[in-house]
Each structure stands twice: as C-alpha cells, then as structure tokens.
Amino acid sequence: MKIAFTTKGEKWESMIDPRFGRTEFILIYEEEKDAFISFDNRDIEQEAHGAGPKTSQVIYDLKPDVLITGNGPGGNAASILERMNIKIFTGAGNMTVKEAYEAYKKGTLKEF
Amino acid sequence: MKIAIASGKGGTGKTTLSTNLAAYIAESQKVVLSDLDVEEPNSGLFIKGALIKEENKFTMKPEWKEDKCTLCGLCQEVCNYNAIVKLGNEIVVFPELCHSCYACSELCPTNALPMVPQKMGVLKHFEKNGISFIESRLDIGQEQAVPLIAQTLEFVDENFLDTSIKLYDSPPGTSCPVIEATKDADFIILITEPTPFGFNDLKLAIETMKKLEKKFAVVINRFGIGNDDVVEYCEKENIPLIAKIPNNRKVAELYSRGELIYDKIPEVKQELKKITDYILKILKPNKA
Amino acid sequence: MKEIVIISGKGGTGKTSITASFAYLGGKDIVVADCDVDAADMHLLMKPDYSKSEDFYSGEIAKIDQEKCIKCGKCADVCRFDAIPVINNQYVVKPLNCEGCGYCARVCPVNAINMLPQKAGQWFISNTKADNVLVHAKLGIGDDNSGKLVAKVKKEAKQIAENTNKNITVVDGSPGIGCPVISSISGADFVVLVTEPSISGLHDLKRVYKLVEKFKIKAGCIINKANINTEVSEKIKKFLKEENIVYISSLPYDETFTKAMTNGQTIVEYGESDLKKLIVESWEKVKKLAN
C-alpha cells in the first residue's frame, strides 16, 4: 500500500498539515518497502487561487492508495480525488505522521 | 444619472439608504434601484414588488471535447488560475476558478476547448409604486461576482434609457466587485457611521473612489452616536457631507422586520429630501 | 492549541467589538488574528505597535515594455477585461482591470509583456495593549480578496502561538460567504457565529452556517441586539436547536458598543456594566466549548 500524508515536514515525527490544498509537503509511505518519498509543495503558497486542484494533481501523479489529512479536501480537489479510486481519511490535524499512521491502522480516523 | 451607494464595510446602512431613498424619490418620479450585492442581495427583503421578468444569466467557460483533444497539455500550462488540470488521459475544467480569459480555448491547437455558456445566476425585475427594482443573485457555489454585476449594469442600461435616476446598491468592501459596481457611476454616495470603525472604513472607501477618479459625497447614518471625526474630516478635505440620518432605535426595529422607514420617521424623510435635492441639483445644474 | 474563529456572515452585527473583547480578556494567554482583511478594524481597539510588517503579493499583473512594443495590438485584441487601452499612442495596462490571466504576454510576438507579481497589501505582527500578539493585514484598494492573505495571517498567528506556547488563537473572521471566510474557518476548532435578530441577519446566518457545517466544525452563537426584535430572536434560537449549534448568549441593544469604540476601548475595558458581565461569561463559555 502507498499511503499519502499532507504534512509540515518530511519525517515520522513531522506534524500533519491540516490543510489539503495548501499543505507544505506530501509524504508518501510505501508499506512494502518501508520507505518515504516526499514532495515539497511549498510553492503552493504563491498561488492565489486553485490550490486544491493543483495539489490534487500532484497526488494524482503520485498514485497513492490512501490519503491521510486534516480538514479534508474542498469540492474541486475532492472531484479530482474521486477519479482516482483512493481512500481518504481526515481528522489527523493535530497528530504527527507516526500517530496518524497508527490511528489509520487502528481504524480510528474518519473516512471522507 | 447613475448613482452608486457604497460603503467601506458592511452593516453601515447601505441597503437601508438605497431602498428608502428609492421609495422616497419614487413619490415624485420614476426611479430604478438595482441591487449589485450579488452574493447577498438583501434589498429585495424591503421592496416586495410584482415580478415582471426573470432571466438566467450566463458566463462563458471552456468545455473539453475529448474527440478533438491531443492531450498536449498547453491549456493547463496557460491557465493562470489552476482552473484546468490534465489528469492522465483527461482534461478537467473547474468553472468556478475560471475567469473566462479565453486563453486556453483560443490557444488550443485543435479547438478542443470551445467556450460555452454556463449559468451563473438569475436576474429579476420587479415593479412597485414607481420603483423598477432589479436584483441579481449568484448561484450557490459561483464565486465570480464581477461578470454578473457587469451584465446587471448592462440590463439596466438597455431597459431603462428614459429613467433619469438610477440607484445602485453596491457590494461592501474595496475589492473587485465594488470597483465593477461603481466604475460606470456618475456619482457615488458613501454611507458611514460616525464611529472609529465607520471612520476607518470610510477613509478606505474614499481612497477607492479617488483611485477611480469618481465624484462622491458622504451620508452619515446613526448620527448622534460616536464622535465628530467624520464631520471634521469631511470639512477639512472639502468632501460634501449631504445628510445625517439620526440614530434612532426605531430604525433598527423597522429594519429588523424588513420594513421601509422613510414614511414612518419624519427626521429620516427630511434627510432623504436633502439627498434627493442634492442629486437633482447635479442632474439639472441650471435649474438650481 | 485551539483556534477559535468569530464570524458573522452579515456586516454590522458587532463581531469585531465582541472579538476585541475576547482578545482583551484572553490577555497574554492567547494570540489574536484579524482576518477581516478587507475592512480591518480590530487594530483601532488593540493599540498595535506594528513591530513587524511585510508586503504581500497575490496574483500577477501585466506590464508592457514600451521600448520593445511594436504596437501590433494583439494584446488588446485578446484581452477580455478591457485592460489594455491605447493612451497617447501607447498600449498600456490598466491595473484595476487586469485580471492577471497572462494571455496578452503569451501572444505578444516580441515578448514585450511581462507578468509581474502584484503587491496586494501588507501584513503586520504587533504587540497590543492586552499584552498579546496581534497578526493583522491591510488589503490594497481594488485588490482581489482571495483567501490567500487570510491564510497567511492565520498561519503566522498559529506559528507564533506554537512558538510561544499559547493555548488559544482568537481569529476575527472575514465577512460574507465567499472564499475569504472559507479560509478563515478552515482548520478551526470552534466557530462563534455573531448574529442580530433581523430578517437579513437570520438569512445570512443560515447561509454562513452551511459553510461551517461543511467543515464539520463545532459552533456556538451569540445573538447581539437580541431585544430589537424578540420574534426573530426566537426564530434564531429555534434554528440553533435544530442544527445543534450551542446557544452561547444574548446581548442587548446597547450603545456601550459605540461608546467604548469611540474611546478606542473594548467593551470590557469601558467600565462595569451588565453587558460586560455577559461578554465575560460568553468568553468563559467559548473557552470551555473550544476544549
């Protein structure tokens, strides 16, 4: 499984970025390889509009199976993610990546 | 004569002034009132006229034609609003992010993104006791107020050539919608309250009107509360202060029930007369 | 860290006066953010010192290099916003009309048009008289109030709260129901809706609550000027019950609001009154609800 997180850093200890469209990083954890790939999304801060679709497109290209985030994507972003057959879990806004991953494994995160 | 009624912030009495001034003027001559606060048009709560006409309003947005598309991705590259994304073998358009600049459509090498009309809102025309009331409302989820404001102004221009006084209830703030709503007006009435918040927001509104090179005057609402800063500022800057609508709890009560006040509180009517006289004087300078 | 956002939908309900009172009561335990960037007023009551300020850029604007321009007029032809008139025999960009789409720059045959970042305002970090930090901003005239500046102000406030171990940020939210208010409430732990009992007040409350609901954020409501129209006040209470919004308090129509403001003070500084008591109680309630 490839699991994507919206985050503020690139480590297990980093905090989840509760924002979807304007997330600072996208971190992909590949369970089989036990490895991270990270995508620096900080340029998104410069975008006046359409942060959601732009970030969704990055996620689309990274092709994860699961997305874990805080507030959840807005309408535009959600309509892109819907096309990808991806499971989205929200409510991880105040957790570290590690805590969010454990919560997901335990099944305590809300499915979007 | 097009007169826009504007304010730096919401809640200063813009709708109260627009609707009551329209009703007052309508006692002696025909008047058009148009609510350009298309995100939250509230004037209609006070002017309950007979519906004459209802029109859907459209804006042009690109539509993807799969059979013509070569998936070159140029459309996504030229869109400065992130309104088009290429997802695998698909092009997805987000109409609410689109500003209708036509770049994607006209630069597409295979004409795979023709511009097609998309509904953005509804314009309604009501008539009541000499007031022609025009209201436009953006559909929920539509974010671009400017094109709907522009089309509403056009509707008024085309349909009410003979009505000499046209009032426009503008959206609040100092951003794009206000600019659109006021840029064709001959004259702007800025309404404010004599409080520090009101004064601060009035200064922003004045700055906006100066940038647009507009003639304007100030009306104070809820006069009697707060302090004299607004009055002194207008004197110092040579800005005409044409009326002071007194503070009166009854105004708030009538407003809360969606009622007009102009014929119920004589002191208010007197101030509306001052504004009307001022407008007529600019309209026919020789007669005054 | 909890984020409390105060919004109202409609203008003139007393939102900023109430938020400033909360900001004063919170004192050194909180960080404050003014996200009403279109008509920011909080600074008038908080005596900020503007200790740090930074320019804010949003979107782009076209600029024509007259030395390179060959006056072919292609830019003006493609512009849908009437932003490129000919003045004194030169094609020039009207900044208030330019939407920053960049179409003109793409079709210019001699690359005479550059798209430059547009300065859209300023944002500030200030120390206030309430012994806390206020993050606030000023949007430029005619600039697009996208959620971007709001997001910036909120992000800075949150960062400061984290760095200085504060438990609460209090945010004065944007008015209306558009993009800026969405940015204001996104990520909030609790939303306070300030309304007034008028037909338009109730109407706007319902519209703005639809947004709050979408984000699944807990909400409470303060009815200001409640005694202006008791009938509509009851309707509001009924609506709150149906939607599971916590009823926080009713404040009376009271000119103390303007009197305090005229003194440059928050209501809770202005002296002892029933109104002050009600606001102090409301703040205590809000703090509990946010936790």
Side-chain angles (χ1 to χ4, degrees):
Chain A
M1 290 280 260
K2 272 168 88 173
I3 301 164
F5 302 85
T6 58
T7 67
K8 297 190 165 197
E10 299 169 287
K11 298 193 211 100
W12 275 119
E13 294 74 34
S14 306
M15 293 303 289
I16 293 286
D17 196 325
R19 301 166 304 171
F20 175 78
R22 295 194 185 275
T23 184
E24 293 180 29
F25 294 89
I26 297 160
L27 208 56
I28 305 268
Y29 177 59
E30 286 194 55
E31 285 182 309
E32 290 76 15
K33 296 184 194 157
D34 188 24
F36 276 127
I37 310 169
S38 78
F39 180 87
D40 188 340
N41 198 46
R42 282 177 292 185
D43 276 354
I44 204 77
E45 208 187 328
Q46 303 311 318
E47 298 290 335
H49 301 279
K54 198 157 189 184
T55 300
S56 310
Q57 199 194 13
V58 173
I59 295 199
Y60 186 95
D61 292 338
L62 293 168
K63 298 196 173 26
D65 305 293
V66 173
L67 168 69
I68 295 173
T69 182
N71 308 327
N76 290 330
S79 74
I80 295 183
L81 298 171
E82 266 168 29
R83 292 161 194 265
M84 312 180 37
N85 199 14
I86 184 176
K87 280 200 156 98
I88 305 170
F89 294 90
T90 60
N94 284 321
M95 302 178 189
T96 62
V97 175
K98 189 159 184 270
E99 286 162 355
Y101 179 66
E102 283 161 3
Y104 156 71
K105 279 292 180 193
K106 271 189 229 149
T108 54
L109 292 178
K110 262 182 288 176
E111 184 157 1
F112 187 70
Chain B
M1 173 97 176
K2 301 177 188 175
I3 298 150
I5 294 149
S7 67
K9 78 186 269 276
T12 57
K14 204 163 38 62
T15 300
T16 306
L17 177 62
S18 312
T19 50
N20 285 285
L21 185 61
Y24 175 79
I25 294 172
E27 285 185 339
S28 56
Q29 60 176 295
K30 271 198 67 75
V31 61
V32 177
L33 171 64
S34 177
D35 192 342
L36 298 177
D37 190 358
V38 298
E39 285 176 41
E40 292 281 336
N42 274 340
S43 294
L45 297 170
F46 300 87
I47 306 219
K48 301 157 189 101
L51 181 65
I52 305 294
K53 196 174 193 181
E54 187 171 336
E55 278 182 10
N56 288 333
K57 288 290 172 194
F58 297 87
T59 177
M60 301 300 277
K61 304 280 167 167
E63 189 178 77
W64 184 52
K65 298 283 179 213
E66 190 176 358
D67 53 329
K68 289 188 178 170
C69 180
T70 59
L71 295 168
C72 72
L74 183 66
C75 49
Q76 169 181 313
E77 193 195 314
V78 302
C79 181
N80 258 7
Y81 310 108
N82 295 321
I84 297 192
V85 293
K86 182 175 158 234
L87 298 173
N89 294 327
E90 251 184 290
I91 301 292
V92 184
V93 179
F94 293 97
E96 57 275 43
L97 292 171
C98 170
H99 288 221
S100 303
C101 76
Y102 284 66
C104 61
S105 180
E106 293 176 355
L107 295 173
C108 173
T110 56
N111 291 323
L113 281 164
M115 299 297 280
V116 297
Q118 197 202 45
K119 182 167 171 277
M120 63 173 156
V122 182
L123 177 147
K124 288 181 182 170
H125 169 192
F126 300 89
E127 283 291 333
K128 185 183 184 193
N129 305 341
I131 305 175
S132 301
F133 174 59
I134 315 299
E135 171 204 86
S136 286
R137 186 181 294 269
L138 270 184
D139 291 345
I140 298 263
Q142 292 285 333
E143 288 181 10
Q144 313 286 345
V146 171
L148 185 54
I149 294 171
Q151 289 192 30
T152 310
L153 290 169
E154 232 167 76
F155 179 91
V156 174
D157 280 351
E158 284 166 10
N159 291 277
F160 299 97
L161 269 174
D162 302 333
T163 311
S164 58
I165 299 182
K166 301 184 181 96
L167 302 176
Y168 298 90
D169 186 356
S170 308
T174 57
S175 55
C176 319
V178 191
I179 306 278
E180 186 65 31
T182 50
K183 76 179 181 199
D184 283 337
D186 302 299
F187 190 75
I188 321 280
I189 296 173
L190 297 173
I191 180 150
T192 187
E193 289 180 354
T195 62
F197 286 7
F199 183 38
N200 183 52
D201 300 332
L202 174 68
K203 282 189 283 187
L204 294 175
I206 288 175
E207 217 184 302
T208 312
M209 293 312 138
K210 284 190 174 157
K211 204 164 170 180
L212 287 170
E213 298 172 1
K214 290 288 169 192
K215 275 192 218 146
F216 59 89
V218 171
V219 169
I220 297 180
N221 191 22
R222 299 187 68 207
F223 186 73
I225 60 165
N227 57 25
D228 296 331
D229 285 356
V230 173
V231 178
E232 283 165 14
Y233 181 81
C234 288
E235 270 171 22
K236 200 180 97 212
E237 299 286 318
N238 272 324
I239 296 164
L241 174 56
I242 53 178
K244 297 166 188 166
I245 299 168
N247 183 41
N248 185 330
R249 186 179 154 142
K250 210 174 153 201
V251 174
E253 288 172 5
L254 289 165
Y255 172 85
S256 78
R257 295 201 292 268
E259 286 182 38
L260 290 175
I261 52 173
Y262 76 104
D263 53 352
K264 298 181 185 94
I265 303 173
E267 300 86 44
V268 172
K269 196 166 189 170
Q270 203 186 326
E271 296 304 307
L272 293 174
K273 183 175 183 305
K274 283 188 202 161
I275 300 171
T276 310
D277 290 347
Y278 191 90
I279 293 170
L280 293 175
K281 211 163 100 185
I282 332 178
L283 194 61
K284 294 176 191 139
N286 303 331
K287 254 175 84 178
Chain C
M1 223 277 299
K2 299 289 174 193
E3 187 176 284
I4 300 166
V5 183
I6 295 100
I7 56 172
S8 69
K10 182 182 177 307
T13 58
K15 167 179 68 76
T16 301
S17 290
I18 291 169
T19 309
S21 293
F22 287 176
Y24 192 83
L25 291 168
K28 62 177 174 17
D29 297 333
I30 66 168
V31 172
V32 189
D34 186 355
C35 287
D36 191 348
V37 296
D38 211 1
D41 284 327
M42 189 105 108
H43 62 281
L44 298 170
L45 302 181
M46 301 305 288
K47 299 260 176 319
D49 65 357
Y50 297 87
S51 60
K52 186 185 162 191
S53 77
E54 212 170 284
D55 287 345
F56 168 77
Y57 291 85
S58 176
E60 294 181 326
I61 188 161
K63 189 163 194 310
I64 302 176
D65 181 341
Q66 298 299 342
E67 293 197 350
K68 284 193 190 165
C69 177
I70 53 167
K71 301 190 171 64
C72 69
K74 273 202 178 121
C75 52
D77 285 347
V78 300
C79 180
R80 287 298 190 297
F81 310 105
D82 299 325
I84 313 186
V86 181
I87 296 174
N88 296 333
N89 203 24
Q90 283 188 332
Y91 286 92
V92 287
V93 175
K94 270 165 83 178
L96 281 177
N97 283 42
C98 179
E99 294 256 333
C101 72
Y103 194 0
C104 55
R106 286 190 187 272
V107 298
C108 177
V110 292
N111 289 325
I113 305 180
N114 287 310
M115 297 305 293
L116 305 175
Q118 185 170 23
K119 186 182 164 193
Q122 273 184 306
W123 60 275
F124 316 97
I125 296 178
S126 290
N127 300 297
T128 74
K129 65 174 177 188
D131 208 12
N132 51 30
V133 171
L134 171 69
V135 184
H136 48 137
K138 186 175 188 274
L139 195 71
I141 299 293
D143 283 323
D144 182 11
N145 184 9
S146 74
K148 197 179 151 190
L149 182 54
V150 170
K152 180 89 200 163
V153 167
K154 268 187 47 157
K155 190 183 153 199
E156 288 298 324
K158 213 166 190 172
Q159 199 72 53
I160 292 166
E162 273 166 18
N163 294 347
T164 54
N165 289 320
K166 308 289 184 202
N167 291 323
I168 298 175
T169 42
V170 169
V171 181
D172 191 7
S174 312
I177 56 158
C179 191
V181 70
I182 295 174
S183 291
S184 306
I185 62 173
S186 114
D189 295 285
F190 190 72
V191 165
V192 180
L193 302 150
V194 178
T195 188
E196 60 172 35
S198 63
I199 294 184
S200 40
L202 177 59
H203 175 251
D204 294 352
L205 171 70
K206 286 181 178 170
R207 277 185 56 125
V208 80
Y209 182 66
K210 271 196 192 140
L211 283 180
V212 178
E213 213 182 3
K214 225 167 111 184
F215 282 88
K216 303 188 179 74
I217 305 167
K218 269 197 300 178
C221 179
I222 296 176
I223 308 174
N224 192 15
K225 312 177 203 170
N227 51 346
I228 279 284
N229 188 328
T230 43
E231 200 185 309
V232 180
S233 280
E234 287 311 311
K235 273 191 198 157
I236 292 174
K237 285 185 195 165
K238 198 170 147 248
F239 170 74
L240 301 181
K241 218 173 218 164
E242 286 165 7
E243 299 291 337
N244 265 324
I245 304 167
V246 184
Y247 164 67
I248 300 170
S249 57
S250 289
L251 309 179
Y253 178 85
D254 192 327
E255 283 175 10
T256 306
F257 267 85
T258 30
K259 283 183 188 150
M261 187 201 295
T262 306
N263 264 4
Q265 287 179 312
T266 60
I267 299 158
V268 290
E269 292 167 86
Y270 185 70
E272 296 308 313
S273 63
D274 289 343
L275 184 62
K276 176 179 172 177
K277 235 192 268 166
L278 284 167
I279 291 179
V280 172
E281 283 168 20
S282 305
W283 169 238
E284 292 304 323
K285 232 175 175 174
V286 167
K287 272 197 292 187
K288 263 193 212 125
L289 288 163
N291 275 306

